[in-house]
Amino acid sequence: MEPRTPWQALTRGRYVRTGWPWRAVGYLGSGVVTGAIALAVLLLFGVLAVVLVGIPLLLLTALALGGVERRRLRLVDLDPAADPHRVPDAPGLAAWLRVRVREQVTWRELAYAVLHATVLWPLDLLVLAVALGLPAALLSAPLRLALDGQETKVVKAYLVTSYPQAFAAALLGAALLVVLLYPLGAFAGARAALSRALLAPREAELRDRIGEVTASRARLVAAFEAERRRIERDLHDGAQQRLVALTMTLGLARLDAPPGPLADQLAKAHEEAGQVLTELRELIHGIHPQVLADYGLAAALTDAADRSAVPVDTTDIDLPRLPAAVESAGYFAVCEALANIGRHSGATRARISARHAASLTIEVEDDGRGGATASISGSAAGSAGTGLTGLADRLAVLDGTLTIISPAGGPTLLRVEIPCPALPDRSASSSQRTASSSAKG
């Protein structure tokens, strides 16, 4: 395994012969540059802060320096440091500033900026001067003696008057350089670890962000379901009702028309209107079947099995009412599986089982030819289609999984698992009562 940090590289035997010592030199050298600039900027804005106009500038400087330092970490830390800042809930500079001021990481970045500008970059410079400057002074002894002609002082301490002495000093410098590259790498690793501790997101912040993403994902699913129900309702109450009225009008006109070309045309228009009405009803049923909304997933799966082209056994379905998004995802996954079985599997029979125990588990099994693979998860029976790919993504949004077990020659088993709680009995019974009332009406 390749090392990811200077500390890991130091444990390898080939440290000096790798690029890690020079990555450490680059990290510390660039730290001197950013630290000196930060010192100048902080001194300028610190003076302005005395008259209360420099504090926002200090924070902006700290934020900018934090971003630069996180990118600079990549020189000696191959694992990227994610941006710990939250995305503001509202657009605009004011919202952005409110979020930044309330974030703990903003103040950690300000503390790092002060530390970097006053302590860290001078330390970087000192380490570089010792680890590289001292060996360089020794290595340059022959050159300096040649330029002077008679004598030279090495590191301002030892007088060198001959070339044997100068080359001995150079040899000592080369050996010293190799030795000092080790503590230099260790210091660079410590600097990087300190920077990561202050500038990278902490575990609690990562948990908060994951929680935000999960909540946002749930809101998107809910919005998607609401939009689909709205489309279904608009089609059911609008276009479908007008088509029914049109079909009835055409039927009455067909009865009143005398036999002849006009009656034939009216009959043809009546039949086409009827076909359009049938297709619209199927479309509405595919958008969000009423039986799913009224009676739940168990009844919807039985209804889907009844409409399957392949005979389906549904004797092992026992489900409570579940969240709407879960029921919808499970239902459409089964519909897609049944459609694929009818089109591609060559199966003569299929079976659906569904149960709930902390999570919804649905299995669809057929006795077809098999051969489906998870890599083409859109196929339940070996076809190269991608019909279930979107469903797999949709299940993933609900933290669910789609598994396909399909050896060559069959059978094929498709399993859907979605973690979810059951709805309270009161909601379920109320829903059932409402559904029953609706059915009677």
Side-chain angles (χ1 to χ4, degrees):
M1 180 178 176
E2 291 296 322
R4 311 286 298 174
T5 66
W7 286 350
Q8 294 178 4
L10 283 168
T11 62
R12 309 301 200 267
R14 300 172 56 253
Y15 168 72
V16 177
R17 288 178 288 173
T18 66
W20 281 103
W22 311 114
R23 295 174 74 103
V25 170
Y27 179 66
L28 297 180
S30 58
V32 173
V33 175
T34 60
I37 295 174
L39 177 61
V41 174
L42 289 180
L43 285 176
L44 173 63
F45 291 159
V47 173
L48 295 176
V50 175
V51 290
L52 300 179
V53 296
I55 293 177
L57 297 178
L58 282 174
L59 289 179
L60 292 175
T61 302
L63 291 171
L65 181 64
V68 171
E69 290 296 295
R70 278 189 290 273
R71 289 177 176 80
R72 209 168 60 80
L73 265 178
R74 297 299 300 273
L75 288 172
V76 290
D77 191 341
L78 300 186
D79 295 326
D83 188 346
H85 293 289
R86 292 174 48 204
V87 177
D89 297 330
L93 180 60
W96 184 83
L97 283 175
R98 279 196 301 273
V99 171
R100 293 293 173 266
V101 170
R102 292 171 182 170
E103 286 180 322
Q104 187 187 56
V105 65
T106 300
W107 301 101
R108 291 208 309 267
E109 287 179 332
L110 180 59
Y112 177 85
V114 175
L115 186 67
H116 186 45
T118 56
V119 177
L120 295 180
W121 81 265
L123 277 178
D124 295 345
L125 182 61
L126 177 63
V127 171
L128 287 174
V130 173
L132 299 181
L134 181 58
L138 292 170
L139 285 168
S140 65
L143 177 62
R144 294 169 59 188
L145 180 61
L147 292 176
D148 186 86
Q150 294 183 350
E151 61 180 25
T152 184
K153 270 195 172 182
V154 179
V155 294
K156 306 293 183 184
Y158 301 101
L159 184 64
V160 174
T161 58
S162 64
Y163 280 103
Q165 291 178 325
F167 282 110
L171 186 61
L172 177 61
L176 195 60
L177 175 63
V178 173
V179 172
L180 291 179
L181 286 179
Y182 284 89
L184 182 141
F187 178 78
R191 278 279 285 113
L194 175 64
S195 299
R196 177 175 284 278
L198 291 175
L199 302 176
R202 295 180 175 176
E203 187 175 351
E205 293 167 344
L206 288 175
R207 282 200 302 269
D208 292 343
R209 295 180 69 175
I210 291 174
E212 291 177 3
V213 171
T214 302
S216 174
R217 198 172 60 179
R219 288 194 296 271
L220 285 175
V221 172
F224 178 76
E225 288 297 324
E227 182 63 14
R228 187 156 61 178
R229 288 169 183 267
R230 185 192 65 77
I231 294 172
E232 185 268 345
R233 186 175 59 252
D234 290 348
L235 288 175
H236 184 274
D237 298 339
Q240 181 177 242
Q241 297 304 320
R242 285 194 292 273
L243 271 176
V244 169
L246 175 62
T247 304
M248 293 178 63
T249 303
L250 288 173
L252 293 174
R254 178 184 176 185
L255 294 175
D256 294 339
L262 177 59
D264 295 341
Q265 292 294 328
L266 286 173
K268 185 178 179 180
H270 187 209
E271 292 174 359
E272 290 182 352
Q275 291 176 359
V276 171
L277 182 59
T278 301
E279 291 176 359
L280 180 62
R281 283 172 173 163
E282 291 177 353
L283 175 64
I284 293 172
H285 192 274
I287 291 175
H288 197 92
Q290 195 65 31
V291 64
L292 179 62
D294 289 348
Y295 299 102
L297 182 57
L301 293 182
T302 303
D303 180 64
D306 291 341
R307 291 182 287 105
S308 172
V310 176
V312 181
D313 295 329
T314 56
T315 56
D316 190 17
I317 297 178
D318 183 16
L319 294 173
R321 289 308 302 262
L322 302 171
V326 174
E327 289 188 336
S328 182
Y331 173 76
F332 285 108
V334 170
C335 288
E336 186 68 26
L338 292 178
N340 285 340
I341 290 172
R343 292 170 187 165
H344 309 296
S345 70
T348 59
R349 198 150 196 90
R351 181 182 64 85
I352 299 175
S353 64
R355 58 188 179 278
H356 178 266
S359 65
L360 168 66
T361 302
I362 304 175
E363 293 182 346
V364 182
E365 188 174 12
D366 68 72
D367 60 356
R369 65 178 68 94
T373 62
S375 60
I376 54 170
S377 56
S379 170
S383 72
T386 57
L388 290 180
T389 301
L391 290 175
D393 294 339
R394 183 175 176 176
L395 294 173
V397 169
L398 298 169
D399 290 332
T401 58
L402 178 67
T403 305
I404 298 176
I405 303 173
S406 181
T412 294
L413 174 64
L414 180 145
R415 180 182 297 122
V416 172
E417 294 177 278
I418 308 174
C420 64
L423 294 180
D425 293 339
R426 186 174 57 185
S427 300
S429 60
S430 174
S431 175
Q432 292 287 358
R433 285 196 300 272
T434 303
S436 300
S437 300
S438 301
K440 291 177 181 178

